[in-house]
Amino acid sequence: MQVSVQLLGGFVVLVNGAPITADRWTRRGAAALVKLLALSPDGRLHRDRVVDALWPELTLDVALPRLHKAAHYARGVLGDRDAVVLKGEVIALFPGARLDVDAATFEAAAEGALAVESPESCAEALKLAGELLPDDLSESWLEEPRERLRLRVLRLLRGAGRWEDLLALDPANEEAHVELLRESVLAGDRTNGLRRYARMERVLHTELGLAPGPEAVVLRDRLLAVDPGQQPPPVLRAAGRTHLVERDAELAQLGTACDLAVDEGRGVVMLVSGEAGAGKSALVRAFLDQLDPAIRVAVGGCDDLLAPRSLGPFRDMAENDAELAAALSGDRPAGLLRVFSERPSVVVVEDIHWADDATLDAIRFLARRFPGIPAVLVLTFRDTGIDAGHPLRQLLGSLTGPSVRRVLLPPLSVEAVRRLGAVGPGEAVEIHRVTQGNPFFVTEVLAGGGTGVPHTVLDAVLARLGTLSVPARTLVERLSVIPTRAERWLAEDLADPGVLLEVERSGIVTGTNATVAFRHELARQAIESALTAGERIEANKQVLDVLLGRPEVEPSRLVHHAERAGRIDVILEYGPAAALEAARLGAHRQAVGVLDVVLRHRALLAPRVAAELLTRRAYSLYVVNRFAAGLESAEAGVRAAADADDAVLRAEALLVLARVAMFARGPMRARQAADQAVEVLEPLGDDARLAAALIEVARAHSNLATVGIVAEPIERAEAAAERAFQLAQRLGRPELEAQASCYLGDARLARGDSRGEADLQRAISLAGADSRVETLVRCYVNAAGGAYRSGRLDDAEKYVAGGLRAAADGEFFAGQYRLRLTTAAVQASRGNWDRAIAVLRELLDAPGEPGGMAALARSLLARLLARRGDPEAGEVLATALADEAFADDSFVATQLAVAQVELAWLDGSLGSLTDDVRRALALAAGHPSVHSELVAYLNRAGIDVPAPIDAPGPWAATLAGDWETAADAWGRLGERYEQAVVLATSPDRAARARGQRQLRELGAVTTTLAV
């Protein structure tokens, strides 16, 4: 028997080619049952899932007769007693026949087309698409398959490049808007392109509350620069080829990327990786040598300094390019982008494993926007020795998508060694064994000559060094303490006239008109490592003496050599300025590194200077998420400011302490520091600092440190934020207005004041003008949290998306972590527990120091796992409880206590009040929301505890036993689990059945048993 079921575009069943006419389906239940089974794998579905889909409001015993009746009528319409078979607990549609369902056929074709990524295949698969059961739009059980098929269609439209059709189905699809913009740019169609951008801007704002992304903005700017009377610029192609041994494929990858950028205006980011000596620089040079002269080329490298020059690679690029120099002196990354977008460009940043934070932020900014300009961004780095916590790992993790391509340089083969050195097979094998095919080591061995093969790079390099005269060797040794490269004037000043020429002729160093450098950093390091301690100190002294005679030399370079030369006077004179410049440009890790060197000599510093440096160090540590060290530094700064008897410095240190303590010890310690700062500043008349202190008070009293969906109304937060906002307005300080507005909005929403939403929108708008990523991300964090706790879950996710987009342009790990924690909370409330658990695991597995946020993440993860009966729950919570840093913080500790009590309720281990629970109840007394939640779970465990008189939100009705009001309130908030528990424990039979069913849908098997 052949049975075909049509579900796309309408409902038709054909049995052996004969259609079942629509007028025969007079029973809705019978038709729905056939449709549901046809959508199921092999036409089979478990009885309980059928009941949950078709009769969700009924208990199983009431629904089963309806199921049997629907099956009976379906068999009658289909004219076959085996059309619908109920066997055991499984229901099957035509189990003995060949069953063809058009929806399944389409899905199979879609999977095949998407697997091969062919536009033609995607277009063919789209011919099979159609709307799923358009006459049944109100059926809730069709929502999941309808959305699944819709997503398939969207992916096929993307694969086929049918961007307008894609937008018809998904108006907010940013990729489709961007591709249409790109079409207009390539066609030089300014008018249509700007119209498309305006449409995109309008739709994204309406649908998602977002502005167009960086790539779209770049394309718009290119459209604005188009002269309507001009034709598109001529195509520039890469020309010529350069041969490297066993690097043809990698060179071709770079050439293809250049062709794509030049021909289609579709920028590419190329990640070139390999071990030290793998030939990354040689590959890049060969690639650059084959470029058409009309292509702009900009090359810069990072330095292995104590504190690398902030934006060092881009400063290198700007030395001989006035446009880039002007861009660096202005709005930096945005200015660089404008220059690189003016014509086809290749931008190379080498050795980014040594990059400072400011350089990494600039790379992050450019990489997100290069797909919209005709340019290639080539980044080279070592793929060894970079641990999971290295900032480069975070950058690499953010560089994803079709515009990012990777080139990994493998070692050379034995045959390549033979060809490279023109040696015999036996010698090639021996050289390969010793060098492991490392190209640099191979070339050093071959260049050394002689009859034997040296055992290490050091042996090979020193063998060449031994051929030099004593003055030349001395110069090489002095140059070896200078990372990366040295100015020619510096090398000349380190030796007598003519010595540098001998060194260059030897091939140990190479030179340009402006600089000299070792052939490879490995050679420099080999020579430096062979120096005695005294020789290294003396070499650094010689270099430092020359650098001190040049006023244009950056302080960071002076500190690097002074630290290695033991020149404490130079460290104390230039270190603070070097750290300040690094922090100003966003290179906070480097600022900390310099300040660590300076503060080793703290005993030589005046108390006021020590206080200032300790406070600056604490803030930089806060930005790079080293909260424990930041807390220690901030507390030391407060003490030093007190010793200096400087009230302003003490207030500054307290403000930084409040920020750091929020994550290092919890909101209670942050409140103490913020309140002290206000107390110090009140009599000084310094309204700007007072506004900042009041903002920290509001922040410490906000809902930032909770993952619960019920807000904690706190008058102190609102009062402090409102006063800070008024001060900021009077001062005309938009960055302070933004911060005050975000906490004012959060506080107002916590007590149900709808004005809070406008406050949060204003905060985001004002923060957009602040150059610091932290300010804007903090506003998004509060907007997302406020929307979540107001039951506006869609808005919460929009704010999270906006915040993560803003954070992608710079490093603010704490803000990103908090936003993703809100994502997990939203998904948990929605009932999407798989996704919530996945996000929480990613957060907890990620490197870094999240502080108190990790405790919140563990508490939520433990509760979700426990509800599912996962034995890992206890271990996850135990890890959070073992962290004593937050044991005395009532806000964090009580949230962990709620998790403990829920786990004990679920496993039946809590029979009476324990000392830990009594302590938690005492700590919770000042926090109505978490106090109410704790009491509710104790009551569920059978322990009678008085409810707080100020229980907020749905907790009031829950604790009062008003299950109908409570269930409705939880539903309005979007909290499915709490709603299900209230229903499942109600006195109403139908409500209990609905609650049980909802718990089963959530996968809360343990909770189902507990209720």
Side-chain angles (χ1 to χ4, degrees):
M1 179 183 291
Q2 173 69 46
V3 180
S4 299
V5 183
Q6 176 185 319
L7 301 174
L8 303 178
F11 176 51
V12 178
V13 180
L14 294 94
V15 179
N16 291 327
I20 307 297
T21 57
D23 59 355
R24 295 185 59 185
W25 294 104
T26 58
R27 300 279 183 165
R28 189 192 70 84
L33 177 60
V34 172
K35 296 170 185 176
L36 178 62
L37 292 173
L39 278 170
S40 305
D42 300 321
R44 298 170 182 269
L45 199 60
H46 191 277
R47 177 195 66 189
D48 290 355
R49 293 188 62 187
V50 173
V51 169
D52 284 345
L54 300 183
W55 300 281
E57 74 285 355
L58 302 179
T59 58
L60 186 61
D61 57 338
V62 176
L64 281 178
R66 298 196 183 192
L67 171 59
H68 285 282
K69 186 180 292 187
H72 169 74
Y73 282 116
R75 285 192 288 265
V77 174
L78 295 170
D80 192 317
R81 60 182 298 177
D82 292 326
V84 179
V85 176
L86 288 76
K87 187 174 182 179
E89 295 186 345
V90 175
I91 307 172
L93 179 65
F94 286 105
R98 177 183 170 186
L99 181 65
D100 292 325
V101 181
D102 60 351
T105 301
F106 164 68
E107 289 201 82
E111 285 185 18
L114 293 169
V116 298
E117 297 182 341
S118 160
E120 294 76 18
S121 299
C122 290
E124 284 299 313
L126 282 167
K127 295 177 180 178
L128 303 175
E131 185 177 2
L132 179 64
L133 296 171
D135 296 328
D136 297 284
L137 297 178
S138 62
E139 296 290 356
S140 60
W141 57 270
L142 280 170
E143 291 176 1
E144 187 278 328
R146 184 173 283 125
E147 178 64 11
R148 186 178 70 244
L149 293 178
R150 188 184 76 89
L151 292 176
R152 297 270 190 192
V153 170
L154 291 177
R155 292 182 64 194
L156 289 170
L157 289 171
R158 177 183 181 276
R162 288 167 51 178
W163 305 114
E164 287 291 1
D165 291 338
L166 198 158
L167 288 178
L169 285 178
D170 183 12
N173 188 292
E174 191 165 1
E175 182 186 12
H177 285 290
V178 166
E179 291 304 323
L180 288 171
L181 281 175
R182 196 189 313 279
E183 286 181 8
S184 296
V185 170
L186 293 175
D189 189 348
R190 186 176 191 267
T191 301
N192 195 39
L194 292 177
R195 187 181 297 119
R196 285 171 167 174
Y197 182 86
R199 176 181 64 173
M200 176 187 189
E201 189 173 38
R202 182 179 64 255
V203 170
L204 289 183
H205 178 74
T206 302
E207 297 284 332
L208 303 177
L210 296 175
E215 187 177 351
V217 173
V218 169
L219 290 168
R220 179 206 61 188
D221 291 344
R222 291 178 65 193
L223 284 166
L224 290 171
V226 169
D227 182 346
Q230 285 185 339
Q231 295 297 316
V235 170
L236 301 173
R237 293 187 178 276
R241 305 293 290 176
T242 301
H243 182 68
L244 288 176
V245 177
E246 290 190 341
R247 293 293 185 255
D248 287 348
E250 292 80 5
L251 198 57
Q253 284 182 266
L254 292 171
T256 299
C258 187
D259 288 343
L260 187 66
V262 172
D263 295 350
E264 300 183 20
R266 192 184 300 272
V268 180
V269 178
M270 300 296 297
L271 303 177
V272 180
S273 64
E275 65 177 344
K280 299 181 290 293
S281 296
L283 178 73
V284 168
R285 284 196 298 271
F287 167 58
L288 297 179
D289 287 344
Q290 70 180 28
L291 294 180
D292 188 296
I295 296 176
R296 178 195 291 273
V297 174
V299 181
C302 303
D303 307 313
D304 185 18
L305 291 167
L306 166 70
R309 297 172 301 147
S310 299
L311 297 170
F314 299 103
R315 295 186 186 188
D316 290 345
M317 298 174 193
E319 285 181 359
N320 300 306
D321 191 316
E323 288 182 283
L324 287 176
L328 272 182
S329 65
D331 52 356
R332 289 189 294 278
L336 293 171
L337 183 70
R338 281 196 296 273
V339 174
F340 296 141
S341 66
E342 288 171 355
R343 69 173 193 262
S345 303
V346 172
V347 182
V348 179
V349 183
E350 294 204 76
D351 298 322
I352 61 171
H353 47 275
W354 289 326
D356 65 287
D357 290 350
T359 296
L360 291 177
D361 282 348
I363 290 172
R364 191 179 283 113
F365 178 93
L366 294 172
R368 294 181 66 219
R369 292 159 176 81
F370 257 49
I373 66 174
V376 180
L377 176 61
V378 181
L379 306 173
T380 74
F381 61 94
R382 295 180 185 174
D383 56 1
T384 56
I386 306 297
D387 61 39
H390 195 285
L392 177 58
R393 289 293 178 205
Q394 297 177 27
L395 171 65
L396 295 176
S398 69
L399 299 181
T400 59
S403 62
V404 178
R405 303 182 181 187
R406 296 176 182 267
V407 178
L408 175 62
L409 300 185
L412 299 177
S413 67
V414 173
E415 174 60 20
V417 173
R418 189 191 66 76
R419 289 165 51 203
L420 196 60
V423 296
E427 189 177 359
V429 169
E430 178 62 13
I431 292 174
H432 188 273
R433 183 188 66 79
V434 173
T435 64
Q436 296 296 300
N438 181 283
F440 169 72
F441 195 0
V442 169
T443 56
E444 284 298 306
V445 169
L446 294 173
T451 57
V453 177
H455 293 292
T456 66
V457 174
L458 178 61
D459 294 333
V461 173
L462 293 183
R464 299 183 69 185
L465 186 63
T467 64
L468 298 178
S469 67
V470 172
R473 283 203 306 272
T474 300
L475 175 58
V476 170
E477 289 169 351
R478 290 175 179 175
L479 290 173
S480 76
V481 302
I482 305 172
T484 312
R485 69 191 70 79
E487 295 86 348
R488 182 169 287 277
W489 56 258
L490 173 57
E492 291 171 345
D493 285 355
L494 287 172
D496 293 331
V499 175
L500 179 57
L501 295 179
E502 179 187 348
V503 172
E504 286 185 277
R505 289 193 189 101
S506 73
I508 293 177
V509 301
T510 60
T512 66
N513 290 338
T515 64
V516 295
F518 287 86
R519 288 185 56 250
H520 196 282
E521 185 68 6
L522 284 176
R524 184 195 71 78
Q525 291 172 347
I527 294 171
E528 184 184 24
S529 69
L531 301 177
T532 67
E535 288 171 333
R536 277 196 297 275
I537 291 172
E538 182 58 29
N540 276 289
K541 283 182 178 178
Q542 295 294 327
V543 171
L544 180 61
D545 286 342
V546 175
L547 292 177
L548 285 170
R550 294 275 184 157
E552 73 274 15
V553 172
E554 294 162 322
S556 60
R557 288 185 68 188
L558 299 176
V559 174
H560 174 87
H561 292 289
E563 193 267 341
R564 285 156 176 75
R567 289 285 302 274
I568 298 173
D569 58 327
V570 176
I571 291 171
L572 296 181
E573 180 178 355
Y574 292 96
L580 183 64
E581 176 67 2
R584 184 184 70 83
L585 294 173
H588 288 282
R589 281 185 185 82
Q590 290 66 45
V592 170
V594 173
L595 289 173
D596 284 346
V597 172
V598 175
L599 288 168
R600 286 177 201 154
H601 312 288
R602 182 180 166 185
L604 301 176
L605 299 172
R608 191 182 186 286
V609 175
E612 181 181 350
L613 297 184
L614 285 164
T615 300
R616 280 165 40 190
R617 177 176 180 271
Y619 178 75
S620 287
L621 287 165
Y622 158 76
V623 172
V624 299
N625 316 297
R626 291 176 55 192
F627 300 125
L631 180 72
E632 182 181 350
S633 188
E635 289 176 335
V638 171
R639 291 192 296 271
D643 292 342
D645 195 24
D646 189 315
V648 172
L649 265 181
R650 182 163 174 254
E652 291 279 7
L654 285 166
L655 288 176
V656 174
L657 176 59
R659 288 192 182 187
V660 179
M662 188 74 176
F663 296 101
R665 289 293 182 271
M668 305 311 290
R669 181 69 183 91
R671 291 179 186 183
Q672 293 174 5
D675 287 340
Q676 285 179 286
V678 171
E679 184 180 343
V680 170
L681 289 167
E682 284 282 14
L684 299 184
D686 189 336
D687 284 352
R689 285 190 172 87
L690 179 58
L694 289 165
I695 288 167
E696 291 307 318
V697 170
R699 179 174 182 247
H701 285 82
S702 73
N703 285 277
L704 183 62
T706 179
V707 288
I709 197 169
V710 179
E712 189 89 44
I714 302 174
E715 293 180 6
R716 180 84 169 101
E718 184 171 354
E722 191 159 21
R723 186 179 174 203
F725 178 73
Q726 292 168 352
L727 289 171
Q729 271 197 318
R730 191 166 69 242
L731 292 167
R733 294 283 297 273
E735 79 282 6
L736 293 176
E737 280 187 62
Q739 295 176 53
S741 293
C742 79
Y743 296 113
L744 180 59
D746 176 73
R748 282 175 169 168
L749 287 176
R751 62 175 179 81
D753 187 339
S754 60
R755 290 181 298 167
E757 174 60 20
D759 294 327
L760 292 169
Q761 292 281 2
R762 179 176 62 241
I764 291 171
S765 176
L766 290 168
D770 194 329
S771 61
R772 293 171 300 176
V773 171
E774 179 197 352
T775 303
L776 180 57
V777 174
R778 283 172 68 178
C779 291
Y780 272 115
V781 165
N782 283 275
Y788 169 58
R789 290 182 291 272
S790 300
R792 302 188 337 271
L793 305 191
D794 289 343
D795 287 345
E797 293 194 279
K798 291 176 186 177
Y799 285 131
V800 166
L804 291 175
R805 174 181 283 181
D809 279 338
E811 185 185 18
F812 184 41
F813 173 80
Q816 291 170 304
Y817 197 105
R818 189 62 185 86
L819 286 164
R820 298 193 66 211
L821 190 53
T822 297
T823 292
V826 169
Q827 296 308 318
S829 292
R830 287 190 187 278
N832 300 328
W833 288 2
D834 284 342
R835 186 179 172 201
I837 289 171
V839 171
L840 292 167
R841 288 193 187 281
E842 289 172 5
L843 288 175
L844 293 170
D845 290 342
E849 188 181 334
M853 292 184 294
L856 301 179
R858 290 187 189 281
S859 70
L860 180 55
L861 177 58
R863 296 175 75 172
L864 293 174
L865 293 174
R867 294 166 188 175
R868 287 185 157 185
D870 191 322
E872 186 191 353
E875 181 184 341
V876 170
L877 185 58
T879 303
L881 293 169
D883 187 352
E884 296 182 356
F886 304 95
D888 295 325
D889 187 275
S890 58
F891 212 74
V892 177
T894 48
Q895 290 181 82
L896 294 177
V898 171
Q900 275 185 293
V901 171
E902 183 177 3
L903 265 64
W905 166 55
L906 292 175
D907 66 19
S909 62
L910 185 64
S912 61
L913 278 177
T914 63
D915 290 340
D916 286 344
V917 173
R918 288 192 180 92
R919 178 175 179 274
L921 283 168
L923 287 173
H927 308 293
S929 180
V930 70
H931 188 190
S932 300
E933 188 174 11
L934 181 59
V935 170
Y937 275 93
L938 286 170
N939 290 346
R940 287 167 183 170
I943 299 174
D944 190 17
V945 179
I949 59 173
D950 54 352
W955 288 122
T958 301
L959 292 171
D962 185 355
W963 67 269
E964 290 179 297
T965 301
D968 182 60
W970 288 120
R972 287 198 306 275
L973 271 183
E975 174 51 58
R976 294 190 65 205
Y977 178 73
E978 290 297 340
Q979 181 189 46
V981 172
V982 167
L983 290 170
T985 54
S986 73
D988 183 81
R989 184 166 178 266
R992 285 199 306 274
R994 179 184 163 201
Q996 287 278 358
R997 186 164 52 251
Q998 194 161 312
L999 288 171
R1000 288 197 302 273
E1001 291 171 0
L1002 293 170
V1005 292
T1006 309
T1007 310
T1008 303
L1009 297 173
V1011 298

